[in-house]
Amino acid sequence: MASPQQLLTEERQLLAQDTGERESVSDERGCPTPDGSYRDDSSAVEADKATAVETACNQQDLRALRSFAATKGGLLTDRLRQKAWPLLLGVNQESTTTPQSGWEALPSHKDEHQVKLDVDRAFVYYPSESDAQLSSRRTSLQTLITVVLRRHPYLCYFQGYHDIVQVFLLVFSSAHPTKASKDVTQSQISGECLTCIERLSLLRVRDFLLPTLDGLNAHMSLLPSILEAADLELFMHIRQAHRSYSLSGILTLYAHEIQDYDVIARLFDFLLATDAVMSVYLFAAIILSRRDTVFEIESTDTDMLLHTLSKLPRPLDLEALIAHSLRLYSQYPPRKLARRAWRQISSNSVLKTCIYSRDRDKRTSKEVRTKRAGENTSSIAKKKSRSSVPFEDQTLEDGEAYFHAQAAELKRAEAKEKVRKQVFSLWIRYRKPARNLALFTTIKSLSSSPSKDHILIDVREPSEYKAGFIPTAINIPITSQPDALFLSPEDFEDRFGFEKPSPDKELVFYCKAGVRSSAAAQLSQQQGYDRVAEYRGSWLDWQKKGGGS
């Protein structure tokens, strides 16, 4: 197995390939000099990198900053982060505003009481300061969050948001967070810090600020697909554990889980410099790093698995995990994940909108800002495909448009699901036999001589279907997917991987004993399928009479 340093070297090379450049890469001996020799002084290496990061900031070179953020040490210091983070978040320097710009006159946000409760519990692990100084920091934190919520009242605060914001507050604070020599006052909330939080909220963690948790569920839904691609045996071992084990890490960008300020600040370097989906790949890397520990737990002990998987390993080898997550992203990109997991994600989700430009990385952020300054309306309104607008080109207006579009999608889906459950319940209660009953001989004929006009459908669950099915039958599980035949042809194919039966076909349903197939027949008739039959004896009758599988 490669060492962490070898992994870092490999991932930095991948980054260089992605941007069309091959940089000289350091190894454990230090930094290469022009004559090919190496310097062993690690402080000199760090000083050289700090100089390079500062130069990239001054030149507004996003490509270089992203590369530095992904290599050992990240952006190194808070002084450099104060310059780099706004650039990575696409902050327009000319538009930064301070919290004192009339926010107190704005209507109160509905979640301000919860904000106060959470802020009172902030700064538990860091910084190490007096009670008076920590109280002042909490006041600043509450002000910062309140300003953002009042300016954007449609956002829905979530518990853990304050963990993210407090990291920014500390980075942009004029006093270093590990020193208690200076007082921290509300006035030290800089305009850049506020604007960073606004852009972060609307363009990077927007999915978590929706009215429901469905936006977060989309992020967590990708994790099993990544694990399945990277380590099938491990995926099978933990698949019974509810995926909520990744909730806290993904929701708070790990700020709630990591108790060391230097570590979380360094991790933010990486997350702010990469696409939003990278936080999911990072959690996959964390689980893979604990493979041996996980296999010590029985796969049936879901409670213990959930407890173990939800905790970050200690000590946390962050540099190795960052390198591993980059490799996972390279080997198993989102668009190639199993079961079309990526296609299930809304085009309005930050997973698809918080993506840095690849083909235009050579443009500086200054050029991007100049282009954006010349636009009088939201860039989304001018784009045929919303997800085609690179993250660094997006405006707060774009973020608001994405928010409302995704919130509307979720509301429609919720209403549709509610009606579907009600209707299905009525159908099950008052179901009637289908007009046609298929006999064993008919099914035998269909299984041996498939017909384009007749489709045999097994409505049992996938696990039952895999254990044995009538030849030529397709699987559309009625219990877990009652809305299947109500889907559009495109959505049906995305979900099941094959074409939706057209209304002119005759559908022949079977299950285990005939109960579910009867319900499926009624559902299909309601949806407009006139030619419907059900094999009343179903799988039990098929086996009893010697039908093969």
Side-chain angles (χ1 to χ4, degrees):
M1 181 175 179
S3 67
Q5 187 60 44
Q6 289 172 324
L7 291 175
L8 284 167
T9 299
E10 178 183 347
E11 297 311 325
R12 191 170 180 184
Q13 290 172 341
L14 287 173
L15 284 172
Q17 291 175 342
D18 182 56
T19 58
E21 292 184 350
R22 173 73 60 179
E23 299 179 0
S24 177
V25 181
S26 301
D27 67 6
E28 66 279 2
R29 293 175 289 173
C31 183
T33 59
D35 63 1
S37 61
Y38 283 80
R39 289 176 292 177
D40 294 326
D41 189 355
S42 59
S43 62
V45 175
E46 185 171 306
D48 288 346
K49 183 178 181 181
T51 300
V53 171
E54 182 134 29
T55 299
C57 289
N58 293 336
Q59 296 177 351
Q60 299 183 358
D61 188 344
L62 292 177
R63 179 183 56 179
L65 287 176
R66 293 179 64 212
S67 179
F68 289 133
T71 54
K72 186 176 181 180
L75 300 176
L76 300 175
T77 68
D78 284 351
R79 184 183 66 82
L80 292 173
R81 291 182 180 110
Q82 290 172 16
K83 294 183 176 182
W85 284 12
L87 295 174
L88 292 172
L89 285 167
V91 171
N92 186 342
Q93 304 290 342
E94 290 75 20
S95 67
T96 57
T97 56
T98 62
Q100 288 74 26
S101 301
W103 69 271
E104 292 176 319
L106 296 173
S108 298
H109 190 277
K110 61 182 178 63
D111 295 328
E112 287 184 26
H113 176 66
Q114 185 61 53
V115 172
K116 177 65 166 60
L117 294 177
D118 289 348
V119 167
D120 286 344
R121 299 190 293 268
F123 302 110
V124 174
Y125 300 110
Y126 53 79
S128 177
E129 295 179 336
S130 68
D131 291 343
Q133 289 170 319
L134 290 177
S135 177
S136 181
R137 287 200 186 276
R138 293 188 181 102
T139 299
S140 297
L141 179 59
Q142 183 175 353
T143 298
L144 187 53
I145 296 175
T146 302
V147 171
V148 173
L149 293 178
R150 288 193 183 186
R151 286 186 176 181
H152 309 280
Y154 50 87
L155 296 178
C156 301
Y157 174 82
F158 64 88
Q159 290 184 283
Y161 179 76
H162 71 290
D163 292 311
I164 298 174
V165 177
Q166 78 175 22
V167 177
F168 276 81
L169 185 65
L170 292 173
V171 165
F172 283 90
S173 175
S174 60
H176 192 283
T178 59
K179 295 182 179 180
S181 58
K182 296 182 180 180
D183 187 27
V184 182
T185 64
Q186 179 176 328
S187 63
Q188 289 179 320
I189 302 175
S190 68
E192 274 196 337
C193 180
L194 171 61
T195 307
C196 280
I197 293 300
E198 283 189 298
R199 288 188 62 80
L200 181 87
S201 302
L202 272 69
L203 301 174
R204 177 60 176 79
V205 298
R206 181 182 63 247
D207 290 1
F208 312 149
L209 292 160
L210 289 163
T212 70
L213 288 177
D214 289 334
L216 171 62
N217 289 335
H219 291 243
M220 296 191 297
S221 70
L222 293 177
L223 185 56
S225 296
I226 299 172
L227 293 174
E228 182 180 6
D231 191 330
L232 181 59
E233 184 182 11
L234 179 61
F235 164 76
M236 296 296 290
H237 188 76
I238 67 173
R239 64 176 180 171
Q240 294 185 45
H242 194 276
R243 64 192 182 200
S244 61
Y245 53 75
S246 63
L247 188 151
S248 180
I250 293 176
L251 180 66
T252 67
L253 303 184
Y254 303 89
H256 185 72
E257 302 299 322
I258 294 177
Q259 301 174 6
D260 185 286
Y261 172 75
D262 291 331
V263 175
I264 190 58
R266 189 271 171 273
L267 177 56
F268 271 36
D269 292 341
F270 174 65
L271 294 179
L272 295 179
T274 52
D275 299 344
V277 74
M278 192 60 75
S279 61
V280 184
Y281 279 86
L282 178 63
F283 208 98
I286 291 172
I287 293 177
L288 291 167
S289 73
R290 309 189 72 184
R291 191 178 196 277
D292 293 342
T293 300
V294 171
F295 274 109
E296 291 176 356
I297 305 171
E298 293 291 335
S299 62
T300 55
D301 192 351
T302 55
D303 289 341
M304 182 57 70
L305 281 174
L306 185 63
H307 173 77
T308 302
L309 294 171
S310 64
K311 302 297 182 183
L312 298 186
R314 294 181 183 174
L316 188 69
D317 190 349
L318 185 58
E319 300 298 342
L321 290 172
I322 287 175
H324 194 182
S325 62
L326 284 168
R327 186 170 61 201
L328 289 172
Y329 183 86
S330 175
Q331 293 176 339
Y332 314 108
R335 287 177 176 81
K336 294 185 178 180
L337 294 177
R339 291 186 293 279
R340 305 189 181 190
W342 188 244
R343 294 188 64 178
Q344 306 298 325
I345 304 298
S346 167
S347 61
N348 296 302
S349 167
V350 296
L351 291 168
K352 289 187 174 178
T353 64
C354 183
I355 297 178
Y356 279 93
S357 173
R358 298 291 192 269
D359 56 342
R360 295 185 291 169
D361 264 349
K362 290 187 178 180
R363 292 191 308 165
T364 64
S365 58
K366 184 176 181 179
E367 292 172 312
V368 172
R369 291 169 184 164
T370 300
K371 173 182 180 294
R372 189 168 59 209
E375 297 179 352
N376 297 322
T377 58
S378 168
S379 58
I380 286 182
K382 294 187 175 184
K383 296 290 183 178
K384 183 176 182 180
S385 173
R386 290 174 175 172
S387 58
S388 66
V389 184
F391 173 76
E392 59 267 33
D393 284 358
Q394 294 170 21
T395 65
L396 295 181
E397 290 75 17
D398 293 334
E400 182 175 353
Y402 283 128
F403 179 95
H404 291 304
Q406 191 174 7
E409 287 179 356
L410 296 176
K411 188 174 182 179
R412 288 193 298 269
E414 183 181 9
K416 186 176 180 180
E417 181 64 20
K418 183 177 180 180
V419 171
R420 198 159 44 228
K421 288 181 177 179
Q422 291 174 342
V423 173
F424 180 63
S425 176
L426 291 174
W427 277 329
I428 293 298
R429 183 179 299 178
Y430 302 112
R431 62 182 181 271
K432 299 177 181 179
R435 283 181 281 182
N436 299 314
L437 297 179
L439 302 176
F440 174 81
T441 53
T442 304
I443 302 301
K444 185 71 173 178
S445 176
L446 286 177
S447 68
S448 58
S449 303
S451 169
K452 293 182 179 180
D453 294 327
H454 300 78
I455 300 177
L456 185 59
I457 302 177
D458 187 326
V459 298
R460 297 175 298 164
E461 291 304 295
S463 59
E464 298 175 273
Y465 177 79
K466 291 178 181 179
F469 60 91
I470 299 174
T472 75
I474 61 175
N475 183 218
I476 305 178
I478 185 67
T479 303
S480 58
Q481 308 287 342
D483 63 323
L485 295 178
F486 289 80
L487 299 172
S488 68
E490 294 78 13
D491 290 341
F492 182 94
E493 186 170 355
D494 283 344
R495 183 181 297 185
F496 294 101
F498 52 83
E499 291 185 359
K500 180 182 178 181
S502 58
D504 62 325
K505 306 294 184 183
E506 180 176 5
L507 308 185
V508 182
F509 297 97
Y510 78 90
C511 56
K512 179 181 179 181
V515 177
R516 285 173 288 179
S517 62
S518 179
Q522 294 299 312
L523 283 172
S524 64
Q525 288 177 326
Q526 184 67 27
Q527 184 55 20
Y529 290 90
D530 295 327
R531 303 171 61 197
V532 176
E534 53 179 294
Y535 179 20
R536 274 301 181 86
S538 286
W539 180 248
L540 293 180
D541 184 65
W542 177 260
Q543 284 188 310
K544 181 179 178 180
K545 295 179 178 178
S549 62

